[in-house]
Amino acid sequence: MSQQPYSVINLDTIMLSDELLARQFHAFHRLNLEYIASLRGMQPQDIIRLLDKGIRGNLHRSGENDAVMPGLQAHLEWQAATVFTQSQALSQDKERLRKQLLADSQGSFSLYRAGMGADFASKQLSESLVVSAADAQQRVLLAERMLNDALSANEYNYRAHFELGWMYLFLLDKLPEAAFHLNIAVQQAEPCNPLFAQFARRHLADAWYGLQEFGKAAELALSVLPHAVPGDLEVRYELSRYLAAGGETQAAAQQLAQVVGRSPLYYVQAQAEPDFAGKPELAGVLQDLRSVRVQRIQHYVHAQWQQNALASLALPDQIDSGALFLQVVEQHERVMTHLPYVTLSQREQQIGARILAASQQRIIHEVRLRSRHYEQVAEKERQRWSWVNQTGGALVHISTILLLASLMFYLLRFVLDLFGIGNLLDADAMVGNILGSMLLLGSAGITLLQFVPWGMKKLLVKQVELDNTVSFLKSSSPQNTAHG
């Protein structure tokens, strides 16, 4: 019985039909989604749904959380577009081969019938993926018979060999037969269609993997690697699986690091990969890659901080902007240790920019906090010494009353002088004393009203300086600049 790898590209293609879950499929092999997409004429959105469903299923089976999936949407779209392009190429290649075989038949009915039989077998394989289990089994057996008939009439139909090998590998779990036919497909396609030969070779490696021949599987994957298109990470990922399954964990870790470092999609998959389970070297690769992402963000933040005006701006009240910046960075680093790798890899600059913005806000908050502190201290001092100002106010009030009384006295005496009886209010000495007391009390009252507690002016100066700094920092912050 073959092992059960869970693949990034083609897993849960069995989900095309719910009844397919009930079938006796003992192995989930890789590199099938391109071919199934070709058989079914699938569009990119259909491929995305299968990829999403397959990866979620892998994560659930391995006990991982699928909350990271929304962050992988862009990668799934890119992967689906790649698979769609490959499936289109496979369909076009099949049509070219069909026309070539028809031209080569030179009127031979048996060869023509063999070609039509191979096409009919492909249709049966396509239908077997979406019908009920009983009908699917009949179609698969019919496709097997038609493909064998086609090969008996024309043994050089490498696509028929491939489809028969694919069927044995994916649907019937006949791995020796799968390896036999896939090997022939590779040999026959190599001279005339080397790209398809590489495609078949990767399936052949998967067949050897199912047969526990991990060394052969890894050797085939290595032979494919130089011919892989740029950006095809699946080949390296397969190679890392084969090496890990064969016990070559150090080499597997090196290959895995190259894949996961370039695509968080494979990081998610590697966490759920049975071939990597229980291998500390491979778990260490994943952990090291997380650390590298955190270090990249840290480096970005520190480099950007050195260019920030706040790093060199002298803040009032001996506020250390650098110390506040480090506090914020330390808080965010604790958060980053719990972030998914997908988030770290996709949002490096966004996370860095958020840390810088949080640092600036922390500094503004500290300056504002100091200002409010001095304001509160000044208010307490003012309340503590308010009795002095209140006494001054009372003295000014009394002196005002005395002044008004003196004025009323002189006004009354002036009126009495008009009637010739002004001598009745002859009290200049007393009024003079009252005016002297008024001047004394008024001067004392004004002095007490202007009383400011010791140190209050210094507090007010600091508060004004801090408030001005807050206004300056807010006006020069990146958010306000962008908004303006």
Side-chain angles (χ1 to χ4, degrees):
M1 193 65 65
S2 62
Q3 292 191 4
Q4 298 185 7
Y6 301 95
S7 74
V8 172
I9 286 187
N10 66 313
L11 172 90
D12 273 336
T13 48
I14 55 173
M15 294 286 185
L16 286 167
S17 168
D18 291 338
E19 290 197 40
L20 280 165
L21 289 171
R23 295 197 202 175
Q24 300 301 312
F25 290 156
H26 305 298
F28 304 132
H29 296 278
R30 309 177 85 82
L31 297 169
N32 295 300
L33 188 51
E34 302 98 320
Y35 188 66
I36 288 179
S38 174
L39 284 176
R40 298 295 308 160
M42 296 171 63
Q43 297 300 307
Q45 60 270 21
D46 303 318
I47 300 172
I48 290 174
R49 284 196 292 270
L50 286 179
L51 287 169
D52 182 87
K53 201 170 190 178
I55 295 174
R56 287 181 189 274
N58 292 346
L59 292 174
H60 291 162
R61 278 188 286 272
S62 63
E64 298 289 342
N65 195 326
D66 65 355
V68 300
M69 292 305 298
L72 293 175
Q73 186 63 30
H75 294 273
L76 291 178
E77 291 174 358
W78 176 85
Q79 192 73 67
T82 302
V83 172
F84 177 73
T85 301
Q86 293 172 337
S87 70
Q88 291 290 95
L90 288 172
S91 298
Q92 294 169 4
D93 175 75
K94 183 175 182 179
E95 182 62 22
R96 285 194 299 269
L97 180 61
R98 187 186 70 81
K99 291 179 179 179
Q100 178 186 340
L101 292 175
L102 182 61
D104 293 342
S105 66
Q106 297 179 352
S108 172
F109 178 75
S110 60
L111 292 179
Y112 175 80
R113 183 174 178 276
M116 293 299 101
D119 291 341
F120 183 74
S122 296
K123 182 179 179 181
Q124 296 303 306
L125 289 177
S126 173
E127 293 175 353
S128 72
L129 298 172
V130 293
V131 298
S132 65
D135 290 340
Q137 186 68 15
Q138 294 179 1
R139 282 173 168 77
V140 169
L141 294 177
L142 178 59
E144 180 185 15
R145 184 167 66 252
M146 297 298 294
L147 288 171
N148 280 315
D149 290 344
L151 289 174
S152 64
N154 183 4
E155 60 179 343
Y156 298 104
N157 187 342
Y158 62 82
R159 283 298 293 254
H161 278 291
F162 173 81
E163 291 190 357
L164 193 56
W166 181 88
M167 184 174 60
Y168 286 140
L169 175 67
F170 183 62
L171 301 179
L172 298 177
D173 198 25
K174 296 181 179 180
L175 298 181
E177 293 86 346
F180 173 78
H181 285 284
L182 289 171
N183 185 52
I184 294 177
V186 169
Q187 294 177 6
Q188 291 182 352
E190 190 70 53
C192 57
N193 193 344
L195 288 178
F196 187 83
Q198 299 299 332
F199 183 71
R201 187 173 281 112
R202 293 169 71 176
H203 284 78
L204 178 59
D206 193 27
W208 284 121
Y209 168 85
L211 289 167
Q212 312 290 313
E213 296 286 349
F214 305 122
K216 290 183 178 180
E219 183 178 353
L220 281 168
L222 278 172
S223 69
V224 172
L225 196 57
H227 307 284
V229 298
D232 188 355
L233 303 178
E234 180 72 6
V235 180
R236 288 190 182 277
Y237 189 79
E238 294 163 14
L239 177 57
S240 65
R241 287 181 50 243
Y242 300 153
L243 291 171
E248 299 181 41
T249 53
Q250 190 63 37
Q254 293 176 359
Q255 294 294 334
L256 182 63
Q258 296 183 52
V259 175
V260 175
R262 295 168 60 185
S263 173
L265 179 64
Y266 286 94
Y267 184 96
V268 172
Q269 185 58 30
Q271 291 179 298
E273 189 64 67
D275 289 320
F276 301 152
K279 296 179 172 60
E281 296 90 342
L282 297 167
V285 166
L286 300 180
Q287 186 60 39
D288 290 345
L289 286 168
R290 281 184 54 85
S291 300
V292 167
R293 291 295 181 183
V294 173
Q295 291 171 6
R296 284 167 59 97
I297 296 173
Q298 291 172 332
H299 176 76
Y300 170 83
V301 168
H302 284 275
Q304 292 297 315
W305 171 254
Q306 294 303 320
Q307 301 175 15
N308 195 303
L310 277 175
S312 57
L313 180 65
L315 297 176
D317 202 34
Q318 298 181 340
I319 296 176
D320 188 348
S321 60
L324 295 174
F325 164 74
L326 292 176
Q327 288 178 12
V328 174
V329 171
E330 183 179 354
Q331 293 170 355
H332 279 266
E333 284 175 352
R334 288 197 293 268
V335 174
M336 282 193 291
T337 58
H338 301 287
L339 287 177
Y341 179 81
V342 175
T343 303
L344 290 173
S345 60
Q346 291 183 341
R347 303 180 184 175
E348 282 188 12
Q349 291 194 356
Q350 183 180 354
I351 293 172
R354 182 169 295 180
I355 295 174
L356 291 171
S359 301
Q360 180 152 333
Q361 291 302 316
R362 175 68 181 88
I363 293 170
I364 292 174
H365 175 72
E366 180 65 23
V367 176
R368 184 184 289 114
L369 196 64
R370 295 281 185 95
S371 175
R372 298 290 82 80
H373 170 71
Y374 288 130
E375 182 181 4
Q376 292 172 2
V377 172
E379 179 62 22
K380 287 181 180 179
E381 286 296 307
R382 189 191 66 78
Q383 292 177 0
R384 179 184 175 188
W385 292 97
S386 63
W387 63 270
V388 177
N389 303 108
Q390 292 171 359
T391 302
L395 293 177
V396 171
H397 184 68
I398 293 172
S399 67
T400 303
I401 294 174
L402 292 177
L403 176 61
L404 291 174
S406 300
L407 291 174
M408 291 298 295
F409 173 81
Y410 283 113
L411 179 62
L412 181 60
R413 193 168 70 174
F414 174 76
V415 173
L416 292 177
D417 283 341
L418 294 176
F419 293 98
I421 55 175
N423 57 349
L424 294 176
L425 294 177
D426 188 12
D428 290 338
M430 183 184 68
V431 174
N433 291 333
I434 291 175
L435 288 174
S437 299
M438 180 273 297
L439 291 174
L440 180 63
L441 291 175
S443 300
I446 292 173
T447 302
L448 293 178
L449 277 175
Q450 294 177 346
F451 172 77
V452 177
W454 295 274
M456 180 71 77
K457 289 183 179 180
K458 187 176 180 180
L459 290 174
L460 292 174
V461 170
K462 282 190 174 182
Q463 182 185 344
V464 170
E465 187 180 11
L466 290 166
D467 287 341
N468 291 338
T469 303
V470 169
S471 299
F472 171 75
L473 293 177
K474 291 178 69 175
S475 64
S476 61
S477 65
Q479 294 90 339
N480 290 341
T481 302
H483 181 71

